[in-house]
Amino acid sequence: MLRKRARKACLPCHKRKVRCNGEYPCDICEGYGYDCAYAPGLERPAKRAQGEAGETTTPVPDLSAAVRSSPLDLTRAQRSDADTSKDGARPGKPFVLVEVPNQKALELSTAPFPESLISRYTTVYSAVAFPRELGQSLGLSDAPRLHCFAWNTGTREEKAPPLGNRLFDQISLQDALKYLKVYFEHIHPVFGFLSSSHATQVCIDAWDLRQMPIDVEATVCGAIALGSLFCANKTPWEFEYSVLQQAQHLLEISVSHPPSQLSLKFVVAWILRAVYLRCTTRPHLSWMASCNAVHVAEAMGLHQEFRNMCVLHQRSPETICAETECRRETFWIALSLNRIFSVEYGRSPLQLDTLNCLPPTREHNLGATVDFVKLCELSLGPHQQVAHSDGEQGSLATCLEQLAQFDVQAPPLTLFKTEICFTIFRRMRFLHMTMTAPQIETILDMIRAALLEAKQLSDRTSKWWNVVGVPFQSICVLVALDSSSSVAMLPDAMRTLEAIASSYDTHLVREALQTAAQIVQGLRKKKMEEVQNIDRALEVGGCDKISNNHGLNDQPLSELPLGFDWPIEYDGGWMELLLNNDTL
């Protein structure tokens, strides 16, 4: 079924270069009080009935079924839900305002690429939603809009911040496309929430028109910065830092300056920034960026399924269905990164109330993205809710078993998988759990696979953070296990880390190698002390004289009397003890 197109945009929408639905009044003009008018010579559409107005409170139906149904079936489901609901809102359901950008946001974005679905989330019992809910309960035909009434005294005028030096004024289109290509070769296979063809076209149009929405610009800046980082050049691209600074500036605008524009692209931009910071700088910064990504996602209601919310400014079923999977994928990548960064850094992962967003599926997403989300779920399994109990120990053992059975293919997912394994192991060690032989072998198998992948990625000078982190942590885990099989793997692990240090030749990697060597030396010292204790034990009771008098040290075991491990005449006094009648 072909999507219906507007016959002609109204004059206000045409002037602002935003999508018009071709009705009278259109959604944008009605929502923001513009005088909706069409160019002379065009037949003005018939005025919509009140029930067809852009603002509704009809609950959205179950979209998991809608994806598999026709638009007609979805429309019927909407009518059915509307008939069974009272005042369009059900008790306890959160509100989400689905809207177009307000006038200030439009001026900031100069949007030739409008986003079809922009949302703000709040609960039905919040101070923001209460006036509207109260007006509906009183039967008001024109209930107050969903708005933060009386939020403050309003004594200071809001001022839009400067946008800085725009990206298309800093770098050439050729450079932008070059590093976007690198991004899609290295990052996209794991975090597949962008479209290569769409990103390319966005840049071509932006450099041609000399305008770009700030959320799009922040996303493009993040992708280009990562592309520059993962490029094979030995020296950094001269504009990488300035592009990164522009992304930071635009993201700062989105969360701390009016009009605090929210969009899915800002969530993506925060994710890209978190990944870049994790690959390049201190852990606190990447953790904070991952927190911001989740907070912006919550502010948009990405953690909720549309079917569980009352939606204002209802959009078409086709639009909602098309964007549902994108919202799910973006949200779960943001939450998964926050979880793995938190457990690595020893911080609390963010916990959201009433999280019911469905995880991404292979039907609509890249397999590696789905695998990444599932892996991170194991890092924050049920044991987080039953800490310091017997239940936690059983949960950790179950997670380790599930992780061992989880098959991954695309690099660097083996490294991510091993990171999760180490997270589980460290928790088990903290609880003083005794590890079984199969559990130890499971960990060793994952370490072997991870060392191989880390060496392959380091040969290509890949910038994934776990290329050096996993080999270093592998050495720590092997030493902590302190079994004959784990100690036997230490030479290979040290050689791998040494090769990685040679490939990158940076202070951080050399420091990791030196620290690993220091830990292994500590294990050697411990083993030497154990050997000395054994030697001292052999000096007790004349063991050295027995050995010297009878040459037992020189006599091979195979030459001892058949069926005995020790000459029978030296029975240690046991025969005398047994034959002594006084002891019977």
Side-chain angles (χ1 to χ4, degrees):
M1 181 177 179
L2 297 177
R3 186 168 60 178
K4 294 174 61 178
R5 299 176 60 92
R7 292 170 298 178
K8 194 72 175 179
C10 69
L11 294 176
C13 290
H14 179 73
K15 178 181 178 181
R16 293 172 175 82
K17 296 186 176 65
V18 296
R19 190 184 301 277
C20 179
N21 64 358
E23 298 182 1
Y24 178 76
C26 71
D27 281 349
I28 292 179
C29 291
E30 184 182 32
Y32 296 102
Y34 304 146
D35 293 327
C36 189
Y38 288 81
L42 288 177
E43 179 183 355
R44 192 180 74 176
K47 188 171 183 178
R48 290 183 299 184
Q50 185 174 358
E52 298 176 350
E55 182 174 329
T56 69
T57 55
T58 304
V60 177
D62 187 343
L63 291 177
S64 61
V67 173
R68 300 185 297 272
S69 62
S70 68
L72 180 60
D73 293 333
L74 185 58
T75 304
R76 290 172 179 168
Q78 283 180 309
R79 287 201 297 267
S80 175
D81 266 2
D83 293 339
T84 57
S85 62
K86 181 180 180 181
D87 297 329
R90 294 176 178 174
K93 264 197 169 184
F95 278 116
V96 164
L97 174 64
V98 179
E99 58 181 2
V100 294
N102 59 30
Q103 180 59 32
K104 291 184 179 180
L106 284 172
E107 293 172 357
L108 284 176
S109 65
T110 59
F113 317 110
E115 184 166 354
S116 58
L117 206 61
I118 297 177
S119 57
R120 292 173 185 264
Y121 169 83
T122 185
T123 58
V124 72
Y125 44 81
S126 68
V128 174
F130 183 54
R132 180 179 182 84
E133 188 273 331
L134 183 61
Q136 289 177 336
S137 68
L138 295 173
L140 297 180
S141 59
D142 188 16
R145 61 194 176 104
L146 195 62
H147 180 68
C148 49
F149 294 105
W151 199 251
N152 53 45
T153 59
T155 58
R156 293 294 182 269
E157 180 183 359
E158 291 184 346
K159 295 183 179 180
L163 298 183
N165 192 11
R166 306 302 297 273
L167 180 63
F168 42 74
D169 293 327
Q170 296 186 43
I171 65 174
S172 66
L173 176 61
Q174 181 181 3
D175 283 340
L177 298 181
K178 171 186 174 181
Y179 291 112
L180 278 178
K181 181 180 179 182
V182 177
Y183 168 87
F184 282 99
E185 289 175 354
H186 294 269
I187 310 298
H188 180 73
V190 180
F191 306 125
F193 41 36
L194 295 181
S195 164
S196 176
S197 59
H198 178 69
T200 300
Q201 189 60 48
V202 161
C203 289
I204 293 173
D205 292 344
W207 264 256
D208 179 44
L209 299 173
R210 314 305 292 177
Q211 58 183 4
M212 185 186 293
I214 62 172
D215 55 351
V216 174
E217 184 174 354
T219 302
V220 172
C221 284
I224 290 175
L226 279 170
S228 173
L229 174 65
F230 277 74
C231 193
N233 296 338
K234 292 185 177 180
T235 57
W237 178 43
E238 59 179 324
F239 294 110
E240 179 180 320
Y241 183 73
S242 62
V243 170
L244 190 68
Q245 288 297 102
Q246 177 66 0
Q248 177 186 355
H249 176 64
L250 296 177
L251 289 172
E252 178 70 16
I253 288 176
S254 72
V255 296
S256 59
H257 293 277
S260 64
Q261 180 183 352
L262 296 175
S263 80
L264 195 66
K265 300 180 186 70
F266 274 128
V267 182
V268 173
W270 275 113
I271 292 173
L272 297 180
R273 180 166 180 80
V275 173
Y276 182 94
L277 294 174
R278 182 62 180 85
C279 293
T280 58
T281 187
R282 302 166 190 268
H284 175 74
L285 302 179
S286 57
W287 178 73
M288 286 296 298
S290 73
C291 291
N292 286 339
V294 177
H295 286 312
V296 176
E298 182 189 20
M300 290 186 62
L302 299 190
H303 63 306
Q304 297 280 342
E305 288 290 313
F306 273 114
R307 65 177 181 272
N308 298 319
M309 299 182 293
C310 299
V311 180
L312 309 182
H313 291 289
Q314 180 79 28
R315 287 296 183 262
S316 69
E318 295 90 344
T319 298
I320 294 177
C321 289
E323 295 199 10
T324 295
E325 279 299 331
C326 185
R327 289 165 66 92
R328 289 171 179 169
E329 183 180 39
T330 303
F331 169 74
W332 279 105
I333 291 176
L335 189 65
S336 299
L337 278 177
N338 177 257
R339 286 176 171 178
I340 195 171
F341 289 0
S342 297
V343 296
E344 280 188 322
Y345 193 35
R347 298 287 174 85
S348 299
L350 294 180
Q351 303 287 346
L352 303 183
D353 294 336
T354 62
L355 193 163
N356 56 42
C357 176
L358 297 177
T361 61
R362 291 180 181 271
E363 181 182 357
H364 301 281
N365 303 276
L366 294 175
T369 302
V370 177
D371 289 345
F372 172 76
V373 171
K374 290 181 178 178
L375 283 173
C376 293
E377 281 292 286
L378 290 176
S379 72
L380 209 68
H383 52 273
Q384 295 292 331
Q385 282 75 45
V386 287
H388 303 289
S389 68
D390 295 337
E392 180 181 12
Q393 296 188 12
S395 175
L396 287 167
T398 301
C399 285
L400 185 61
E401 181 180 353
Q402 292 174 347
L403 189 64
Q405 298 172 355
F406 197 95
D407 186 32
V408 294
Q409 300 294 333
L413 287 185
T414 299
L415 298 181
F416 282 117
K417 176 180 176 179
T418 311
E419 279 186 311
I420 305 303
C421 171
F422 293 163
T423 297
I424 297 172
F425 168 78
R426 289 191 296 265
R427 187 67 181 170
M428 295 173 76
R429 186 169 185 266
F430 173 75
L431 295 175
H432 303 289
M433 291 178 58
T434 301
M435 303 200 66
T436 64
Q439 288 174 338
I440 293 176
E441 191 57 36
T442 293
I443 295 174
L444 297 184
D445 286 342
M446 282 189 265
I447 290 178
R448 291 186 188 98
L451 292 176
L452 179 61
E453 183 169 276
K455 180 63 170 61
Q456 293 172 347
L457 289 174
S458 68
D459 290 342
R460 302 196 295 266
T461 62
S462 175
K463 305 305 191 303
W464 287 107
W465 65 84
N466 36 30
V467 169
V468 60
V470 167
F472 173 78
Q473 290 292 332
S474 296
I475 294 171
C476 296
V477 171
L478 292 173
V479 171
L481 287 173
D482 193 14
S483 66
S484 58
S485 53
S486 68
V487 173
M489 290 179 58
L490 279 173
D492 184 49
M494 287 296 294
R495 281 192 294 268
T496 301
L497 187 57
E498 183 181 27
I500 292 172
S502 176
S503 296
Y504 295 93
D505 194 27
T506 63
H507 166 72
L508 286 179
V509 183
R510 290 192 299 269
E511 180 185 55
L513 179 61
Q514 292 172 359
T515 304
Q518 181 182 5
I519 292 173
V520 174
Q521 287 173 354
L523 177 64
R524 180 179 182 274
K525 180 180 178 182
K526 174 188 174 184
K527 295 292 185 182
M528 292 297 295
E529 291 175 352
E530 292 175 353
V531 171
Q532 290 174 2
N533 289 333
I534 294 173
D535 289 341
R536 284 194 292 268
L538 292 175
E539 296 173 358
V540 177
C543 292
D544 55 334
K545 296 180 181 179
I546 296 175
S547 175
N548 291 336
N549 290 339
H550 298 275
L552 296 178
N553 287 344
D554 301 327
Q555 186 177 9
L557 184 62
S558 60
E559 298 179 7
L560 291 175
L562 183 61
F564 295 92
D565 295 333
W566 198 266
I568 192 170
E569 58 268 24
Y570 293 103
D571 60 8
W574 285 104
M575 293 299 295
E576 180 180 354
L577 177 64
L578 293 174
L579 295 175
N580 190 341
N581 294 329
D582 294 337
T583 62
L584 295 177

